[in-house]
Amino acid sequence: MNRTLGTTGPRVFPLGLGCMGMSALYGESDRAESIATIHAALDAGVTLLDTGDFYGMGHNELLINEALRTAPAEAREQALTSVKFGALRTVEGGFTGYDGRPAAVKNFAAYSLQRLGTDHIDIYRIARVDPDVPIEETVGAIAELVEAGHVRHIGLSEVGADTLRRAAAVAPIADLQIEYSLISRGIEEKILPAARELGIGVTAYGVLSRGLISGHFSRDRELAPGDFRGMSPRFQGDNLGRNLDLVDRLRAVAEAKGVTVAQTAIAWVLAQGPRHGVDIVPLIGARRRDRLAEALTSLDVTLDAADLDAIEQAVPVGAAAGDRYPAAQMAHLDSEH
Protein backbone atom coordinates (compact mmCIF):
# COMPACT_ATOMS: atom_id res chain seq x y z
CA MET A 1 0.00 0.00 0.00
CA ASN A 2 2.82 2.44 0.82
CA ARG A 3 4.22 4.65 -1.91
CA THR A 4 7.77 5.78 -2.61
CA LEU A 5 8.42 9.48 -3.11
CA GLY A 6 10.40 9.40 -6.33
CA THR A 7 13.33 7.13 -7.00
CA THR A 8 15.39 8.46 -4.08
CA GLY A 9 12.83 9.40 -1.44
CA PRO A 10 11.30 7.57 1.50
CA ARG A 11 8.43 5.08 1.47
CA VAL A 12 5.36 6.65 3.03
CA PHE A 13 1.74 5.85 3.80
CA PRO A 14 -0.43 6.73 0.76
CA LEU A 15 -1.92 9.74 2.57
CA GLY A 16 0.03 12.39 4.46
CA LEU A 17 -1.24 14.76 7.13
CA GLY A 18 -0.99 18.47 6.32
CA CYS A 19 -0.73 20.27 9.67
CA MET A 20 -0.92 23.93 8.60
CA GLY A 21 -4.55 24.48 9.59
CA MET A 22 -3.77 23.46 13.16
CA SER A 23 -1.78 26.69 13.57
CA ALA A 24 -2.67 29.21 10.89
CA LEU A 25 -4.81 30.59 8.09
CA TYR A 26 -8.14 28.91 8.93
CA GLY A 27 -9.11 30.77 12.09
CA GLU A 28 -8.93 29.43 15.63
CA SER A 29 -8.02 25.78 16.19
CA ASP A 30 -8.20 23.48 19.19
CA ARG A 31 -4.71 22.50 20.38
CA ALA A 32 -5.86 19.35 22.19
CA GLU A 33 -7.91 18.20 19.20
CA SER A 34 -5.01 18.98 16.86
CA ILE A 35 -2.64 16.79 18.88
CA ALA A 36 -5.29 14.06 19.13
CA THR A 37 -5.68 14.21 15.34
CA ILE A 38 -1.93 13.78 14.81
CA HIS A 39 -1.97 10.83 17.23
CA ALA A 40 -4.95 9.30 15.41
CA ALA A 41 -3.18 9.70 12.07
CA LEU A 42 -0.04 7.99 13.36
CA ASP A 43 -2.14 5.22 14.90
CA ALA A 44 -3.79 4.64 11.50
CA GLY A 45 -0.37 4.23 9.88
CA VAL A 46 0.14 7.73 8.47
CA THR A 47 3.85 8.47 8.33
CA LEU A 48 4.28 11.86 6.65
CA LEU A 49 3.59 15.01 8.69
CA ASP A 50 3.79 18.16 6.57
CA THR A 51 4.51 21.56 8.06
CA GLY A 52 6.24 24.89 7.44
CA ASP A 53 8.42 26.92 9.76
CA PHE A 54 6.20 29.93 9.02
CA TYR A 55 2.91 28.23 9.97
CA GLY A 56 2.02 30.32 12.99
CA MET A 57 5.64 31.56 13.03
CA GLY A 58 6.97 28.31 14.50
CA HIS A 59 3.78 27.31 16.33
CA ASN A 60 3.12 24.36 14.03
CA GLU A 61 6.57 22.86 14.47
CA LEU A 62 6.23 23.14 18.25
CA LEU A 63 2.80 21.52 18.04
CA ILE A 64 4.22 18.58 16.07
CA ASN A 65 7.06 18.34 18.59
CA GLU A 66 4.52 18.03 21.41
CA ALA A 67 2.41 15.52 19.49
CA LEU A 68 5.41 13.31 18.76
CA ARG A 69 6.76 13.52 22.32
CA THR A 70 3.41 12.34 23.68
CA ALA A 71 2.83 9.64 21.06
CA PRO A 72 3.70 5.96 21.63
CA ALA A 73 7.34 5.22 20.80
CA GLU A 74 6.46 3.04 17.82
CA ALA A 75 4.30 5.76 16.26
CA ARG A 76 6.92 8.41 16.96
CA GLU A 77 9.62 6.37 15.27
CA GLN A 78 7.62 5.90 12.07
CA ALA A 79 6.84 9.61 11.70
CA LEU A 80 8.55 11.58 8.92
CA THR A 81 8.69 15.37 8.89
CA SER A 82 8.31 17.40 5.70
CA VAL A 83 9.21 21.04 6.32
CA LYS A 84 8.88 24.12 4.11
CA PHE A 85 10.99 27.20 4.79
CA GLY A 86 11.82 30.57 3.31
CA ALA A 87 8.66 32.64 3.82
CA LEU A 88 9.30 36.02 5.44
CA ARG A 89 6.61 37.22 7.87
CA THR A 90 5.65 40.36 9.76
CA VAL A 91 4.60 40.60 13.40
CA GLU A 92 1.05 41.19 12.16
CA GLY A 93 1.15 37.95 10.17
CA GLY A 94 1.72 39.34 6.69
CA PHE A 95 4.00 37.81 4.07
CA THR A 96 6.81 39.94 2.66
CA GLY A 97 8.67 37.58 0.33
CA TYR A 98 10.98 34.56 0.34
CA ASP A 99 14.64 34.03 1.17
CA GLY A 100 16.50 31.21 -0.55
CA ARG A 101 20.08 32.32 0.06
CA PRO A 102 22.32 29.45 1.22
CA ALA A 103 23.08 31.14 4.56
CA ALA A 104 19.36 31.67 5.14
CA VAL A 105 18.58 28.05 4.25
CA LYS A 106 20.93 26.81 6.97
CA ASN A 107 19.61 29.37 9.44
CA PHE A 108 16.00 28.32 8.86
CA ALA A 109 16.99 24.66 9.25
CA ALA A 110 18.74 25.28 12.57
CA TYR A 111 15.62 26.89 14.03
CA SER A 112 13.33 24.15 12.69
CA LEU A 113 15.47 21.39 14.18
CA GLN A 114 15.29 23.12 17.56
CA ARG A 115 11.51 23.61 17.43
CA LEU A 116 10.86 20.07 16.22
CA GLY A 117 13.17 18.65 18.86
CA THR A 118 14.95 16.37 16.42
CA ASP A 119 18.39 15.96 14.90
CA HIS A 120 17.17 15.75 11.30
CA ILE A 121 14.37 16.80 8.96
CA ASP A 122 13.19 14.06 6.61
CA ILE A 123 12.25 16.27 3.63
CA TYR A 124 13.23 19.93 3.39
CA ARG A 125 12.04 22.40 0.76
CA ILE A 126 11.74 26.11 0.09
CA ALA A 127 8.07 27.11 0.10
CA ARG A 128 8.34 29.31 -2.98
CA VAL A 129 11.27 30.01 -5.28
CA ASP A 130 13.20 33.12 -4.30
CA PRO A 131 13.29 35.15 -7.55
CA ASP A 132 16.59 36.73 -6.51
CA VAL A 133 18.44 33.45 -5.86
CA PRO A 134 19.02 30.75 -8.50
CA ILE A 135 17.30 27.52 -7.50
CA GLU A 136 20.65 25.79 -7.94
CA GLU A 137 22.06 27.74 -4.99
CA THR A 138 19.10 27.02 -2.73
CA VAL A 139 19.07 23.31 -3.55
CA GLY A 140 22.86 23.17 -3.21
CA ALA A 141 22.56 24.49 0.36
CA ILE A 142 19.98 21.81 1.22
CA ALA A 143 22.31 19.22 -0.33
CA GLU A 144 25.00 20.37 2.10
CA LEU A 145 22.54 19.86 4.95
CA VAL A 146 21.93 16.34 3.63
CA GLU A 147 25.66 15.68 3.56
CA ALA A 148 25.94 16.91 7.16
CA GLY A 149 23.10 14.60 8.26
CA HIS A 150 20.67 17.38 9.21
CA VAL A 151 18.29 16.63 6.30
CA ARG A 152 17.48 13.26 4.75
CA HIS A 153 15.84 14.24 1.43
CA ILE A 154 15.39 17.34 -0.73
CA GLY A 155 11.96 18.48 -1.86
CA LEU A 156 10.56 21.35 -3.88
CA SER A 157 7.32 23.30 -3.70
CA GLU A 158 5.22 24.94 -6.42
CA VAL A 159 7.90 24.96 -9.12
CA GLY A 160 7.45 24.61 -12.86
CA ALA A 161 8.93 21.95 -15.11
CA ASP A 162 12.03 23.94 -16.07
CA THR A 163 12.91 24.73 -12.46
CA LEU A 164 12.30 21.10 -11.56
CA ARG A 165 14.89 20.04 -14.15
CA ARG A 166 17.43 22.65 -13.02
CA ALA A 167 17.09 21.58 -9.40
CA ALA A 168 17.35 17.88 -10.22
CA ALA A 169 20.62 18.56 -12.06
CA VAL A 170 22.14 19.72 -8.75
CA ALA A 171 21.01 16.95 -6.39
CA PRO A 172 18.43 14.15 -6.14
CA ILE A 173 14.91 15.50 -5.54
CA ALA A 174 12.51 13.24 -3.63
CA ASP A 175 9.24 15.04 -4.28
CA LEU A 176 7.48 18.12 -5.52
CA GLN A 177 4.79 19.50 -3.25
CA ILE A 178 2.13 21.23 -5.30
CA GLU A 179 -1.60 21.88 -5.35
CA TYR A 180 -3.52 19.21 -7.24
CA SER A 181 -7.22 18.47 -7.12
CA LEU A 182 -10.23 17.99 -9.35
CA ILE A 183 -10.44 21.76 -9.76
CA SER A 184 -6.68 22.50 -9.83
CA ARG A 185 -5.24 20.44 -12.67
CA GLY A 186 -2.68 22.78 -14.20
CA ILE A 187 0.20 20.42 -13.39
CA GLU A 188 -0.99 17.74 -15.79
CA GLU A 189 0.32 19.35 -18.98
CA LYS A 190 4.01 19.89 -18.21
CA ILE A 191 4.83 19.40 -14.54
CA LEU A 192 3.66 15.81 -14.05
CA PRO A 193 5.46 14.63 -17.23
CA ALA A 194 8.65 16.31 -15.97
CA ALA A 195 8.29 14.64 -12.58
CA ARG A 196 7.86 11.26 -14.30
CA GLU A 197 10.89 11.92 -16.51
CA LEU A 198 13.06 12.85 -13.52
CA GLY A 199 11.82 10.18 -11.11
CA ILE A 200 10.36 12.72 -8.68
CA GLY A 201 7.29 11.98 -6.56
CA VAL A 202 4.45 14.38 -5.85
CA THR A 203 2.89 15.31 -2.52
CA ALA A 204 -0.40 16.92 -3.48
CA TYR A 205 -1.87 19.56 -1.20
CA GLY A 206 -5.26 21.22 -1.55
CA VAL A 207 -6.87 17.95 -2.68
CA LEU A 208 -10.17 19.21 -1.25
CA SER A 209 -9.37 22.77 -2.36
CA ARG A 210 -9.33 24.08 1.23
CA GLY A 211 -12.67 22.46 1.96
CA LEU A 212 -14.40 23.88 -1.12
CA ILE A 213 -14.92 20.45 -2.69
CA SER A 214 -15.17 18.51 0.57
CA GLY A 215 -18.95 18.40 0.47
CA HIS A 216 -19.06 20.20 3.83
CA PHE A 217 -18.86 23.82 2.65
CA SER A 218 -22.19 25.65 2.33
CA ARG A 219 -23.15 28.74 0.36
CA ASP A 220 -24.11 30.69 3.48
CA ARG A 221 -21.12 29.75 5.63
CA GLU A 222 -19.49 32.66 7.43
CA LEU A 223 -15.72 32.41 7.68
CA ALA A 224 -13.90 33.20 10.90
CA PRO A 225 -11.66 36.29 11.11
CA GLY A 226 -8.23 35.50 9.71
CA ASP A 227 -9.47 32.61 7.59
CA PHE A 228 -7.41 32.62 4.38
CA ARG A 229 -10.44 31.59 2.35
CA GLY A 230 -11.97 35.03 2.87
CA MET A 231 -9.37 36.35 0.40
CA SER A 232 -9.37 33.35 -1.95
CA PRO A 233 -10.96 34.11 -5.34
CA ARG A 234 -12.68 30.71 -5.47
CA PHE A 235 -14.62 31.49 -2.29
CA GLN A 236 -15.77 34.96 -3.32
CA GLY A 237 -18.99 36.24 -4.86
CA ASP A 238 -20.37 34.43 -7.87
CA ASN A 239 -17.28 32.22 -8.00
CA LEU A 240 -18.34 30.44 -4.82
CA GLY A 241 -21.78 29.65 -6.19
CA ARG A 242 -20.40 28.36 -9.47
CA ASN A 243 -17.85 26.18 -7.70
CA LEU A 244 -20.41 24.75 -5.30
CA ASP A 245 -22.56 23.91 -8.32
CA LEU A 246 -19.66 21.69 -9.43
CA VAL A 247 -19.64 20.11 -5.97
CA ASP A 248 -23.35 19.34 -6.28
CA ARG A 249 -22.66 17.55 -9.53
CA LEU A 250 -19.81 15.64 -7.91
CA ARG A 251 -22.10 14.76 -4.98
CA ALA A 252 -24.50 13.06 -7.39
CA VAL A 253 -21.67 10.86 -8.65
CA ALA A 254 -20.48 10.10 -5.10
CA GLU A 255 -23.94 9.24 -3.79
CA ALA A 256 -24.56 6.90 -6.70
CA LYS A 257 -21.44 5.05 -5.61
CA GLY A 258 -22.37 5.13 -1.92
CA VAL A 259 -19.46 7.33 -0.80
CA THR A 260 -18.99 10.95 0.27
CA VAL A 261 -17.84 13.88 -1.83
CA ALA A 262 -14.58 14.14 0.09
CA GLN A 263 -13.85 10.43 -0.29
CA THR A 264 -14.47 10.72 -4.03
CA ALA A 265 -12.24 13.78 -4.46
CA ILE A 266 -9.36 12.20 -2.52
CA ALA A 267 -9.75 8.85 -4.29
CA TRP A 268 -9.60 10.70 -7.61
CA VAL A 269 -6.20 12.21 -6.73
CA LEU A 270 -4.95 8.80 -5.55
CA ALA A 271 -5.96 7.34 -8.92
CA GLN A 272 -3.97 9.92 -10.90
CA GLY A 273 -0.57 8.51 -9.89
CA PRO A 274 -0.87 5.35 -12.00
CA ARG A 275 -2.47 7.35 -14.79
CA HIS A 276 0.48 9.76 -15.03
CA GLY A 277 3.25 7.36 -14.03
CA VAL A 278 4.11 9.32 -10.87
CA ASP A 279 3.77 8.33 -7.22
CA ILE A 280 1.29 10.86 -5.81
CA VAL A 281 0.64 11.16 -2.06
CA PRO A 282 -2.30 13.41 -1.15
CA LEU A 283 -1.86 15.58 1.94
CA ILE A 284 -5.00 15.71 4.04
CA GLY A 285 -5.40 18.99 5.91
CA ALA A 286 -7.59 17.54 8.67
CA ARG A 287 -7.75 19.48 11.93
CA ARG A 288 -10.22 17.10 13.58
CA ARG A 289 -10.37 13.36 14.04
CA ASP A 290 -13.71 12.99 12.28
CA ARG A 291 -12.43 14.68 9.14
CA LEU A 292 -9.29 12.54 9.29
CA ALA A 293 -11.38 9.38 9.58
CA GLU A 294 -13.42 10.33 6.52
CA ALA A 295 -10.25 11.00 4.53
CA LEU A 296 -8.66 7.70 5.52
CA THR A 297 -11.64 5.73 4.24
CA SER A 298 -10.96 7.13 0.77
CA LEU A 299 -8.25 4.46 0.59
CA ASP A 300 -11.05 1.89 0.40
CA VAL A 301 -12.72 3.61 -2.57
CA THR A 302 -11.92 2.10 -5.96
CA LEU A 303 -12.73 4.22 -9.00
CA ASP A 304 -13.14 2.24 -12.22
CA ALA A 305 -13.08 3.71 -15.73
CA ALA A 306 -16.81 4.47 -15.63
CA ASP A 307 -16.46 6.26 -12.28
CA LEU A 308 -13.56 8.34 -13.54
CA ASP A 309 -15.50 9.26 -16.66
CA ALA A 310 -18.53 10.30 -14.58
CA ILE A 311 -16.32 12.45 -12.36
CA GLU A 312 -14.73 14.05 -15.41
CA GLN A 313 -18.18 14.86 -16.79
CA ALA A 314 -19.24 16.37 -13.47
CA VAL A 315 -16.09 18.45 -13.01
CA PRO A 316 -14.35 19.03 -16.37
CA VAL A 317 -10.81 20.36 -16.61
CA GLY A 318 -10.80 24.13 -16.17
CA ALA A 319 -14.34 24.29 -14.77
CA ALA A 320 -13.41 26.08 -11.53
CA ALA A 321 -14.26 29.76 -11.19
CA GLY A 322 -11.44 31.95 -9.90
CA ASP A 323 -7.71 31.48 -9.35
CA ARG A 324 -6.44 29.30 -6.51
CA TYR A 325 -4.71 32.25 -4.80
CA PRO A 326 -5.14 36.04 -4.78
CA ALA A 327 -3.17 37.78 -7.55
CA ALA A 328 -0.28 38.85 -5.30
CA GLN A 329 0.31 35.26 -4.21
CA MET A 330 -0.15 33.84 -7.70
CA ALA A 331 2.80 36.01 -8.74
CA HIS A 332 5.05 34.01 -6.39
CA LEU A 333 4.15 30.66 -7.99
CA ASP A 334 6.94 29.48 -10.28
CA SER A 335 4.56 26.66 -11.25
CA GLU A 336 2.19 29.15 -12.86
CA HIS A 337 4.75 30.89 -15.06
Side-chain angles (χ1 to χ4, degrees), residues 107-221:
N107 178 76
F108 288 130
Y111 279 78
S112 284
L113 288 167
Q114 179 68 26
R115 284 188 292 259
L116 288 167
T118 183
D119 63 357
H120 73 275
I121 296 165
D122 292 288
I123 311 174
Y124 202 48
R125 70 187 86 240
I126 190 165
R128 300 288 186 268
V129 174
D130 181 344
D132 298 322
V133 179
I135 194 64
E136 290 87 350
E137 294 184 16
T138 302
V139 168
I142 305 175
E144 291 178 6
L145 289 171
V146 172
E147 186 176 355
H150 304 311
V151 169
R152 294 283 169 82
H153 303 281
I154 304 171
L156 293 168
S157 176
E158 285 290 355
V159 305
D162 290 343
T163 303
L164 201 59
R165 292 188 177 92
R166 288 170 52 199
V170 174
I173 306 297
D175 74 311
L176 167 65
Q177 188 174 122
I178 197 162
E179 186 168 355
Y180 188 40
S181 74
L182 267 169
I183 62 171
S184 296
R185 296 178 60 178
I187 70 173
E188 292 179 347
E189 183 180 355
K190 294 181 180 179
I191 295 173
L192 282 182
R196 181 180 65 241
E197 166 198 332
L198 298 165
I200 295 172
V202 170
T203 43
Y205 76 88
V207 294
L208 296 178
S209 199
R210 299 166 183 83
L212 181 59
I213 59 172
S214 67
H216 301 298
F217 202 94
S218 62
R219 286 170 167 78
D220 59 354
R221 178 172 173 177

Side-chain angles (χ1 to χ4, degrees), residues 18-70:
C19 300
M20 180 187 76
M22 298 175 181
S23 298
L25 298 179
Y26 290 109
E28 292 294 324
S29 60
D30 184 313
R31 186 181 189 87
E33 181 61 23
S34 295
I35 290 173
T37 300
I38 294 173
H39 287 170
L42 294 171
D43 186 60
V46 172
T47 52
L48 190 65
L49 303 178
D50 184 76
T51 185
D53 63 9
F54 52 94
Y55 292 168
M57 278 72 91
H59 178 279
N60 204 237
E61 291 178 320
L62 292 169
L63 184 76
I64 290 173
N65 180 337
E66 182 178 350
L68 291 178
R69 280 191 291 105
T70 54

